[in-house]
Amino acid sequence: MEIEICCNSIQSAYNAKLGGAQRVELCHDLEGGGVTPSVAAIEYCVKDLALKTRVLIRPRRGDFIYNELEYEIIRRDVLMCKTLGAQAVVVGFLTKEGGIDVDRTKEIVELARPMEVTFHRAFDELAPSQASLALEQLIACGCDKLLTSGCFPTALEGKEVLGKLQKQAEGRIAIVAASGVKPDNAKEIVSFTGVNEIHGSCKKVEDGVIVTDSEQVKSLIENLK
């Protein structure tokens, strides 16, 4: 079982490692859905903390339809992550018509190599009825993983769709169950869906700041052993 902890700062990444995590998704501004973290934060996570670091590449809050200037920044951030030694980048592109932006997804996958590419929860903006076709598109684009709650607000609510996606994937892409994943429900999500990877933030508020809670991370790992 692969467990990924979503971390909104270096302090959160440090706490995640303290709790036993080996793999993180690093971002900033978790309250806004996450945006691209700083170069220094990525470098510290990769080199000083020695964590498998997957970097969210998202230039702003809001939708996942980017103009040319925003897309150019995404491209540069992907190349920067490659230089810094990140394990993977986490991206998501949609069209104005409400589907997967296949052209941009494929281009970023090619640009990112040899890093892995995860398509993030932009996927969950789609209707559940679109999930099957969208999954095939992501596989054709070469994405390594799909981070999703099954097109529902949480993974627990979307567990039926997650199970169908896991079965459809047939090892061609990894389905990473995300959103609302906690120590007390992770086992149910995994057992029902058959996924081999989960993603949780294990967050708490400390002195008015959202940070990863090392004890929740530890409990999550223990409950999935």
mmCIF file of all heavy atoms in Angstrom, residues 17-61:
data_model
loop_
_atom_site.group_PDB
_atom_site.id
_atom_site.type_symbol
_atom_site.label_atom_id
_atom_site.label_comp_id
_atom_site.label_asym_id
_atom_site.label_seq_id
_atom_site.Cartn_x
_atom_site.Cartn_y
_atom_site.Cartn_z
ATOM 1 N N LYS A 17 6.986 13.256 7.732
ATOM 2 C CA LYS A 17 8.108 12.327 7.855
ATOM 3 C C LYS A 17 8.225 11.817 9.286
ATOM 4 O O LYS A 17 8.498 10.631 9.514
ATOM 5 C CB LYS A 17 9.407 13.008 7.423
ATOM 6 C CG LYS A 17 10.606 12.066 7.447
ATOM 7 C CD LYS A 17 11.856 12.700 6.871
ATOM 8 C CE LYS A 17 13.013 11.703 6.871
ATOM 9 N NZ LYS A 17 14.235 12.261 6.262
ATOM 10 N N LEU A 18 8.006 12.692 10.243
ATOM 11 C CA LEU A 18 8.047 12.311 11.654
ATOM 12 C C LEU A 18 7.007 11.226 11.952
ATOM 13 O O LEU A 18 7.238 10.342 12.781
ATOM 14 C CB LEU A 18 7.789 13.540 12.527
ATOM 15 C CG LEU A 18 8.112 13.441 14.022
ATOM 16 C CD1 LEU A 18 9.609 13.226 14.239
ATOM 17 C CD2 LEU A 18 7.659 14.710 14.741
ATOM 18 N N GLY A 19 5.886 11.295 11.256
ATOM 19 C CA GLY A 19 4.832 10.305 11.441
ATOM 20 C C GLY A 19 5.054 9.015 10.687
ATOM 21 O O GLY A 19 4.253 8.078 10.800
ATOM 22 N N GLY A 20 6.125 8.967 9.883
ATOM 23 C CA GLY A 20 6.457 7.746 9.160
ATOM 24 C C GLY A 20 6.222 7.789 7.664
ATOM 25 O O GLY A 20 6.443 6.792 6.969
ATOM 26 N N ALA A 21 5.794 8.934 7.140
ATOM 27 C CA ALA A 21 5.552 9.039 5.698
ATOM 28 C C ALA A 21 6.863 9.035 4.920
ATOM 29 O O ALA A 21 7.875 9.568 5.379
ATOM 30 C CB ALA A 21 4.775 10.314 5.388
ATOM 31 N N GLN A 22 6.811 8.448 3.749
ATOM 32 C CA GLN A 22 7.963 8.442 2.851
ATOM 33 C C GLN A 22 7.670 9.210 1.563
ATOM 34 O O GLN A 22 8.593 9.559 0.844
ATOM 35 C CB GLN A 22 8.361 7.006 2.510
ATOM 36 C CG GLN A 22 8.821 6.197 3.716
ATOM 37 C CD GLN A 22 9.222 4.796 3.343
ATOM 38 O OE1 GLN A 22 8.719 4.216 2.382
ATOM 39 N NE2 GLN A 22 10.139 4.221 4.105
ATOM 40 N N ARG A 23 6.388 9.468 1.327
ATOM 41 C CA ARG A 23 5.988 10.120 0.076
ATOM 42 C C ARG A 23 5.007 11.249 0.375
ATOM 43 O O ARG A 23 4.057 11.063 1.140
ATOM 44 C CB ARG A 23 5.354 9.074 -0.843
ATOM 45 C CG ARG A 23 4.636 9.617 -2.065
ATOM 46 C CD ARG A 23 4.120 8.462 -2.896
ATOM 47 N NE ARG A 23 2.904 8.793 -3.614
ATOM 48 C CZ ARG A 23 2.137 7.901 -4.239
ATOM 49 N NH1 ARG A 23 2.476 6.636 -4.239
ATOM 50 N NH2 ARG A 23 1.034 8.291 -4.859
ATOM 51 N N VAL A 24 5.246 12.402 -0.227
ATOM 52 C CA VAL A 24 4.373 13.551 -0.006
ATOM 53 C C VAL A 24 4.021 14.223 -1.323
ATOM 54 O O VAL A 24 4.755 14.114 -2.305
ATOM 55 C CB VAL A 24 5.018 14.601 0.933
ATOM 56 C CG1 VAL A 24 5.342 13.996 2.286
ATOM 57 C CG2 VAL A 24 6.270 15.217 0.305
ATOM 58 N N GLU A 25 2.881 14.897 -1.308
ATOM 59 C CA GLU A 25 2.582 15.857 -2.366
ATOM 60 C C GLU A 25 2.754 17.226 -1.738
ATOM 61 O O GLU A 25 2.066 17.577 -0.779
ATOM 62 C CB GLU A 25 1.161 15.719 -2.900
ATOM 63 C CG GLU A 25 0.879 16.726 -4.023
ATOM 64 C CD GLU A 25 -0.598 16.929 -4.302
ATOM 65 O OE1 GLU A 25 -1.247 15.986 -4.773
ATOM 66 O OE2 GLU A 25 -1.100 18.038 -4.028
ATOM 67 N N LEU A 26 3.674 18.013 -2.264
ATOM 68 C CA LEU A 26 3.978 19.324 -1.705
ATOM 69 C C LEU A 26 3.234 20.409 -2.468
ATOM 70 O O LEU A 26 3.261 20.451 -3.700
ATOM 71 C CB LEU A 26 5.483 19.582 -1.766
ATOM 72 C CG LEU A 26 5.990 20.849 -1.081
ATOM 73 C CD1 LEU A 26 5.763 20.775 0.427
ATOM 74 C CD2 LEU A 26 7.476 21.053 -1.381
ATOM 75 N N CYS A 27 2.582 21.302 -1.699
ATOM 76 C CA CYS A 27 1.878 22.436 -2.297
ATOM 77 C C CYS A 27 1.925 23.598 -1.322
ATOM 78 O O CYS A 27 2.473 23.487 -0.227
ATOM 79 C CB CYS A 27 0.428 22.065 -2.609
ATOM 80 S SG CYS A 27 -0.604 21.804 -1.135
ATOM 81 N N HIS A 28 1.352 24.719 -1.713
ATOM 82 C CA HIS A 28 1.089 25.842 -0.823
ATOM 83 C C HIS A 28 -0.395 26.175 -0.935
ATOM 84 O O HIS A 28 -1.059 25.752 -1.886
ATOM 85 C CB HIS A 28 1.941 27.053 -1.193
ATOM 86 C CG HIS A 28 3.363 26.968 -0.717
ATOM 87 N ND1 HIS A 28 4.340 27.856 -1.125
ATOM 88 C CD2 HIS A 28 3.984 26.101 0.133
ATOM 89 C CE1 HIS A 28 5.498 27.539 -0.550
ATOM 90 N NE2 HIS A 28 5.302 26.473 0.199
ATOM 91 N N ASP A 29 -0.915 26.941 0.012
ATOM 92 C CA ASP A 29 -2.293 27.418 -0.025
ATOM 93 C C ASP A 29 -3.296 26.271 -0.134
ATOM 94 O O ASP A 29 -4.130 26.225 -1.039
ATOM 95 C CB ASP A 29 -2.495 28.401 -1.190
ATOM 96 C CG ASP A 29 -3.865 29.078 -1.150
ATOM 97 O OD1 ASP A 29 -4.464 29.138 -0.061
ATOM 98 O OD2 ASP A 29 -4.332 29.525 -2.215
ATOM 99 N N LEU A 30 -3.216 25.356 0.804
ATOM 100 C CA LEU A 30 -4.132 24.216 0.811
ATOM 101 C C LEU A 30 -5.583 24.658 0.941
ATOM 102 O O LEU A 30 -6.496 24.029 0.386
ATOM 103 C CB LEU A 30 -3.758 23.274 1.967
ATOM 104 C CG LEU A 30 -4.431 21.902 2.010
ATOM 105 C CD1 LEU A 30 -4.172 21.136 0.721
ATOM 106 C CD2 LEU A 30 -3.936 21.119 3.210
ATOM 107 N N GLU A 31 -5.798 25.779 1.659
ATOM 108 C CA GLU A 31 -7.157 26.296 1.834
ATOM 109 C C GLU A 31 -7.805 26.647 0.497
ATOM 110 O O GLU A 31 -9.021 26.574 0.345
ATOM 111 C CB GLU A 31 -7.158 27.534 2.736
ATOM 112 C CG GLU A 31 -6.573 27.307 4.129
ATOM 113 C CD GLU A 31 -5.097 27.639 4.203
ATOM 114 O OE1 GLU A 31 -4.357 27.310 3.248
ATOM 115 O OE2 GLU A 31 -4.686 28.218 5.216
ATOM 116 N N GLY A 32 -6.988 27.043 -0.474
ATOM 117 C CA GLY A 32 -7.499 27.389 -1.791
ATOM 118 C C GLY A 32 -7.418 26.251 -2.788
ATOM 119 O O GLY A 32 -7.522 26.473 -3.995
ATOM 120 N N GLY A 33 -7.215 25.050 -2.287
ATOM 121 C CA GLY A 33 -7.117 23.890 -3.169
ATOM 122 C C GLY A 33 -5.702 23.553 -3.569
ATOM 123 O O GLY A 33 -5.467 22.561 -4.257
ATOM 124 N N GLY A 34 -4.736 24.403 -3.140
ATOM 125 C CA GLY A 34 -3.330 24.142 -3.422
ATOM 126 C C GLY A 34 -2.821 24.859 -4.656
ATOM 127 O O GLY A 34 -3.501 24.913 -5.690
ATOM 128 N N VAL A 35 -1.629 25.441 -4.532
ATOM 129 C CA VAL A 35 -0.921 26.041 -5.667
ATOM 130 C C VAL A 35 0.546 25.613 -5.598
ATOM 131 O O VAL A 35 0.976 25.003 -4.622
ATOM 132 C CB VAL A 35 -1.027 27.587 -5.667
ATOM 133 C CG1 VAL A 35 -2.463 28.031 -5.848
ATOM 134 C CG2 VAL A 35 -0.430 28.166 -4.393
ATOM 135 N N THR A 36 1.293 25.952 -6.616
ATOM 136 C CA THR A 36 2.687 25.547 -6.720
ATOM 137 C C THR A 36 3.514 26.087 -5.552
ATOM 138 O O THR A 36 3.473 27.285 -5.265
ATOM 139 C CB THR A 36 3.295 26.053 -8.041
ATOM 140 O OG1 THR A 36 2.445 25.669 -9.129
ATOM 141 C CG2 THR A 36 4.691 25.477 -8.260
ATOM 142 N N PRO A 37 4.284 25.230 -4.895
ATOM 143 C CA PRO A 37 5.143 25.689 -3.796
ATOM 144 C C PRO A 37 6.393 26.382 -4.312
ATOM 145 O O PRO A 37 6.677 26.360 -5.517
ATOM 146 C CB PRO A 37 5.497 24.390 -3.064
ATOM 147 C CG PRO A 37 5.465 23.353 -4.144
ATOM 148 C CD PRO A 37 4.353 23.768 -5.066
ATOM 149 N N SER A 38 7.155 26.978 -3.400
ATOM 150 C CA SER A 38 8.369 27.697 -3.793
ATOM 151 C C SER A 38 9.494 26.744 -4.174
ATOM 152 O O SER A 38 9.498 25.567 -3.791
ATOM 153 C CB SER A 38 8.844 28.596 -2.650
ATOM 154 O OG SER A 38 9.349 27.805 -1.580
ATOM 155 N N VAL A 39 10.453 27.264 -4.908
ATOM 156 C CA VAL A 39 11.639 26.488 -5.288
ATOM 157 C C VAL A 39 12.369 25.999 -4.041
ATOM 158 O O VAL A 39 12.775 24.830 -3.944
ATOM 159 C CB VAL A 39 12.585 27.336 -6.162
ATOM 160 C CG1 VAL A 39 13.903 26.602 -6.401
ATOM 161 C CG2 VAL A 39 11.928 27.672 -7.491
ATOM 162 N N ALA A 40 12.541 26.895 -3.065
ATOM 163 C CA ALA A 40 13.259 26.532 -1.835
ATOM 164 C C ALA A 40 12.552 25.401 -1.097
ATOM 165 O O ALA A 40 13.200 24.487 -0.565
ATOM 166 C CB ALA A 40 13.407 27.756 -0.938
ATOM 167 N N ALA A 41 11.220 25.451 -1.055
ATOM 168 C CA ALA A 41 10.466 24.408 -0.361
ATOM 169 C C ALA A 41 10.621 23.060 -1.055
ATOM 170 O O ALA A 41 10.801 22.022 -0.396
ATOM 171 C CB ALA A 41 8.996 24.791 -0.288
ATOM 172 N N ILE A 42 10.569 23.065 -2.366
ATOM 173 C CA ILE A 42 10.754 21.819 -3.122
ATOM 174 C C ILE A 42 12.148 21.250 -2.882
ATOM 175 O O ILE A 42 12.313 20.057 -2.592
ATOM 176 C CB ILE A 42 10.529 22.056 -4.629
ATOM 177 C CG1 ILE A 42 9.101 22.522 -4.890
ATOM 178 C CG2 ILE A 42 10.822 20.784 -5.425
ATOM 179 C CD1 ILE A 42 8.878 23.075 -6.282
ATOM 180 N N GLU A 43 13.141 22.099 -2.982
ATOM 181 C CA GLU A 43 14.521 21.662 -2.795
ATOM 182 C C GLU A 43 14.734 21.088 -1.397
ATOM 183 O O GLU A 43 15.378 20.046 -1.225
ATOM 184 C CB GLU A 43 15.479 22.824 -3.043
ATOM 185 C CG GLU A 43 16.953 22.433 -2.965
ATOM 186 C CD GLU A 43 17.848 23.593 -3.323
ATOM 187 O OE1 GLU A 43 17.564 24.731 -2.906
ATOM 188 O OE2 GLU A 43 18.854 23.366 -4.035
ATOM 189 N N TYR A 44 14.180 21.741 -0.384
ATOM 190 C CA TYR A 44 14.345 21.273 0.994
ATOM 191 C C TYR A 44 13.671 19.911 1.188
ATOM 192 O O TYR A 44 14.211 19.017 1.848
ATOM 193 C CB TYR A 44 13.758 22.288 1.970
ATOM 194 C CG TYR A 44 14.149 22.041 3.407
ATOM 195 C CD1 TYR A 44 15.273 22.640 3.954
ATOM 196 C CD2 TYR A 44 13.398 21.191 4.223
ATOM 197 C CE1 TYR A 44 15.647 22.415 5.271
ATOM 198 C CE2 TYR A 44 13.759 20.948 5.537
ATOM 199 C CZ TYR A 44 14.889 21.564 6.053
ATOM 200 O OH TYR A 44 15.248 21.321 7.354
ATOM 201 N N CYS A 45 12.498 19.761 0.611
ATOM 202 C CA CYS A 45 11.753 18.519 0.741
ATOM 203 C C CYS A 45 12.489 17.353 0.070
ATOM 204 O O CYS A 45 12.583 16.256 0.621
ATOM 205 C CB CYS A 45 10.373 18.695 0.113
ATOM 206 S SG CYS A 45 9.145 17.511 0.668
ATOM 207 N N VAL A 46 13.046 17.622 -1.107
ATOM 208 C CA VAL A 46 13.753 16.587 -1.862
ATOM 209 C C VAL A 46 15.096 16.252 -1.225
ATOM 210 O O VAL A 46 15.419 15.075 -0.997
ATOM 211 C CB VAL A 46 13.967 17.030 -3.330
ATOM 212 C CG1 VAL A 46 14.901 16.073 -4.059
ATOM 213 C CG2 VAL A 46 12.635 17.128 -4.054
ATOM 214 N N LYS A 47 15.883 17.288 -0.921
ATOM 215 C CA LYS A 47 17.271 17.067 -0.504
ATOM 216 C C LYS A 47 17.456 16.943 1.003
ATOM 217 O O LYS A 47 18.144 16.034 1.485
ATOM 218 C CB LYS A 47 18.156 18.182 -1.067
ATOM 219 C CG LYS A 47 18.176 18.201 -2.592
ATOM 220 C CD LYS A 47 19.063 19.303 -3.143
ATOM 221 C CE LYS A 47 19.067 19.291 -4.673
ATOM 222 N NZ LYS A 47 19.902 20.392 -5.237
ATOM 223 N N ASP A 48 16.859 17.836 1.763
ATOM 224 C CA ASP A 48 17.080 17.825 3.213
ATOM 225 C C ASP A 48 16.214 16.794 3.929
ATOM 226 O O ASP A 48 16.694 16.100 4.835
ATOM 227 C CB ASP A 48 16.825 19.212 3.799
ATOM 228 C CG ASP A 48 17.814 20.250 3.297
ATOM 229 O OD1 ASP A 48 17.723 20.629 2.120
ATOM 230 O OD2 ASP A 48 18.681 20.677 4.068
ATOM 231 N N LEU A 49 14.953 16.686 3.512
ATOM 232 C CA LEU A 49 14.071 15.707 4.134
ATOM 233 C C LEU A 49 14.140 14.342 3.456
ATOM 234 O O LEU A 49 13.686 13.344 4.014
ATOM 235 C CB LEU A 49 12.625 16.211 4.128
ATOM 236 C CG LEU A 49 12.359 17.468 4.968
ATOM 237 C CD1 LEU A 49 10.879 17.866 4.876
ATOM 238 C CD2 LEU A 49 12.751 17.256 6.419
ATOM 239 N N ALA A 50 14.691 14.315 2.249
ATOM 240 C CA ALA A 50 14.871 13.062 1.491
ATOM 241 C C ALA A 50 13.548 12.300 1.334
ATOM 242 O O ALA A 50 13.504 11.072 1.469
ATOM 243 C CB ALA A 50 15.926 12.187 2.154
ATOM 244 N N LEU A 51 12.495 13.041 1.036
ATOM 245 C CA LEU A 51 11.189 12.435 0.819
ATOM 246 C C LEU A 51 10.915 12.258 -0.675
ATOM 247 O O LEU A 51 11.412 13.029 -1.500
ATOM 248 C CB LEU A 51 10.093 13.327 1.417
ATOM 249 C CG LEU A 51 9.991 13.349 2.942
ATOM 250 C CD1 LEU A 51 9.151 14.538 3.389
ATOM 251 C CD2 LEU A 51 9.401 12.050 3.461
ATOM 252 N N LYS A 52 10.138 11.248 -1.009
ATOM 253 C CA LYS A 52 9.644 11.129 -2.376
ATOM 254 C C LYS A 52 8.668 12.289 -2.570
ATOM 255 O O LYS A 52 7.579 12.284 -1.981
ATOM 256 C CB LYS A 52 8.934 9.798 -2.574
ATOM 257 C CG LYS A 52 9.835 8.585 -2.439
ATOM 258 C CD LYS A 52 9.031 7.298 -2.604
ATOM 259 C CE LYS A 52 9.919 6.078 -2.444
ATOM 260 N NZ LYS A 52 9.132 4.822 -2.545
ATOM 261 N N THR A 53 9.077 13.250 -3.360
ATOM 262 C CA THR A 53 8.337 14.515 -3.430
ATOM 263 C C THR A 53 7.613 14.658 -4.759
ATOM 264 O O THR A 53 8.215 14.692 -5.826
ATOM 265 C CB THR A 53 9.296 15.704 -3.232
ATOM 266 O OG1 THR A 53 9.995 15.532 -1.996
ATOM 267 C CG2 THR A 53 8.536 17.013 -3.201
ATOM 268 N N ARG A 54 6.305 14.754 -4.660
ATOM 269 C CA ARG A 54 5.450 14.972 -5.813
ATOM 270 C C ARG A 54 4.934 16.404 -5.689
ATOM 271 O O ARG A 54 4.342 16.766 -4.667
ATOM 272 C CB ARG A 54 4.320 13.950 -5.823
ATOM 273 C CG ARG A 54 4.819 12.533 -5.540
ATOM 274 C CD ARG A 54 3.725 11.500 -5.482
ATOM 275 N NE ARG A 54 3.224 11.182 -6.801
ATOM 276 C CZ ARG A 54 3.829 10.342 -7.650
ATOM 277 N NH1 ARG A 54 4.953 9.731 -7.280
ATOM 278 N NH2 ARG A 54 3.330 10.100 -8.830
ATOM 279 N N VAL A 55 5.154 17.209 -6.696
ATOM 280 C CA VAL A 55 4.915 18.653 -6.600
ATOM 281 C C VAL A 55 3.658 19.059 -7.364
ATOM 282 O O VAL A 55 3.530 18.784 -8.559
ATOM 283 C CB VAL A 55 6.126 19.445 -7.139
ATOM 284 C CG1 VAL A 55 5.899 20.946 -6.978
ATOM 285 C CG2 VAL A 55 7.406 19.022 -6.429
ATOM 286 N N LEU A 56 2.753 19.721 -6.650
ATOM 287 C CA LEU A 56 1.571 20.266 -7.313
ATOM 288 C C LEU A 56 1.981 21.452 -8.179
ATOM 289 O O LEU A 56 2.615 22.388 -7.696
ATOM 290 C CB LEU A 56 0.543 20.716 -6.280
ATOM 291 C CG LEU A 56 -0.711 21.391 -6.857
ATOM 292 C CD1 LEU A 56 -1.518 20.420 -7.704
ATOM 293 C CD2 LEU A 56 -1.572 21.981 -5.756
ATOM 294 N N ILE A 57 1.599 21.401 -9.438
ATOM 295 C CA ILE A 57 1.871 22.504 -10.361
ATOM 296 C C ILE A 57 0.533 23.147 -10.716
ATOM 297 O O ILE A 57 -0.254 22.639 -11.504
ATOM 298 C CB ILE A 57 2.583 22.015 -11.642
ATOM 299 C CG1 ILE A 57 3.850 21.241 -11.297
ATOM 300 C CG2 ILE A 57 2.896 23.214 -12.538
ATOM 301 C CD1 ILE A 57 4.905 22.039 -10.582
ATOM 302 N N ARG A 58 0.268 24.274 -10.089
ATOM 303 C CA ARG A 58 -0.988 24.999 -10.293
ATOM 304 C C ARG A 58 -0.709 26.471 -10.010
ATOM 305 O O ARG A 58 -0.411 26.852 -8.879
ATOM 306 C CB ARG A 58 -2.066 24.459 -9.348
ATOM 307 C CG ARG A 58 -3.448 25.045 -9.565
ATOM 308 C CD ARG A 58 -4.427 24.495 -8.539
ATOM 309 N NE ARG A 58 -5.769 25.056 -8.704
ATOM 310 C CZ ARG A 58 -6.677 25.110 -7.739
ATOM 311 N NH1 ARG A 58 -6.384 24.660 -6.528
ATOM 312 N NH2 ARG A 58 -7.875 25.629 -7.974
ATOM 313 N N PRO A 59 -0.762 27.335 -11.003
ATOM 314 C CA PRO A 59 -0.318 28.718 -10.837
ATOM 315 C C PRO A 59 -1.262 29.619 -10.046
ATOM 316 O O PRO A 59 -0.860 30.714 -9.643
ATOM 317 C CB PRO A 59 -0.185 29.209 -12.283
ATOM 318 C CG PRO A 59 -1.162 28.388 -13.053
ATOM 319 C CD PRO A 59 -1.135 27.036 -12.406
ATOM 320 N N ARG A 60 -2.494 29.159 -9.823
ATOM 321 C CA ARG A 60 -3.481 30.014 -9.139
ATOM 322 C C ARG A 60 -4.646 29.163 -8.654
ATOM 323 O O ARG A 60 -4.809 28.003 -9.045
ATOM 324 C CB ARG A 60 -4.016 31.082 -10.091
ATOM 325 C CG ARG A 60 -4.620 30.489 -11.351
ATOM 326 C CD ARG A 60 -5.534 31.434 -12.084
ATOM 327 N NE ARG A 60 -5.951 30.918 -13.374
ATOM 328 C CZ ARG A 60 -6.880 29.980 -13.561
ATOM 329 N NH1 ARG A 60 -7.487 29.425 -12.526
ATOM 330 N NH2 ARG A 60 -7.204 29.581 -14.781
ATOM 331 N N ARG A 61 -5.446 29.790 -7.783
ATOM 332 C CA ARG A 61 -6.718 29.174 -7.396
ATOM 333 C C ARG A 61 -7.687 29.213 -8.577
ATOM 334 O O ARG A 61 -7.424 29.863 -9.580
ATOM 335 C CB ARG A 61 -7.349 29.938 -6.241
ATOM 336 C CG ARG A 61 -6.607 29.920 -4.920
ATOM 337 C CD ARG A 61 -7.429 30.627 -3.860
ATOM 338 N NE ARG A 61 -6.793 30.666 -2.550
ATOM 339 C CZ ARG A 61 -7.445 30.906 -1.418
ATOM 340 N NH1 ARG A 61 -8.749 31.153 -1.446
ATOM 341 N NH2 ARG A 61 -6.804 30.928 -0.255
#
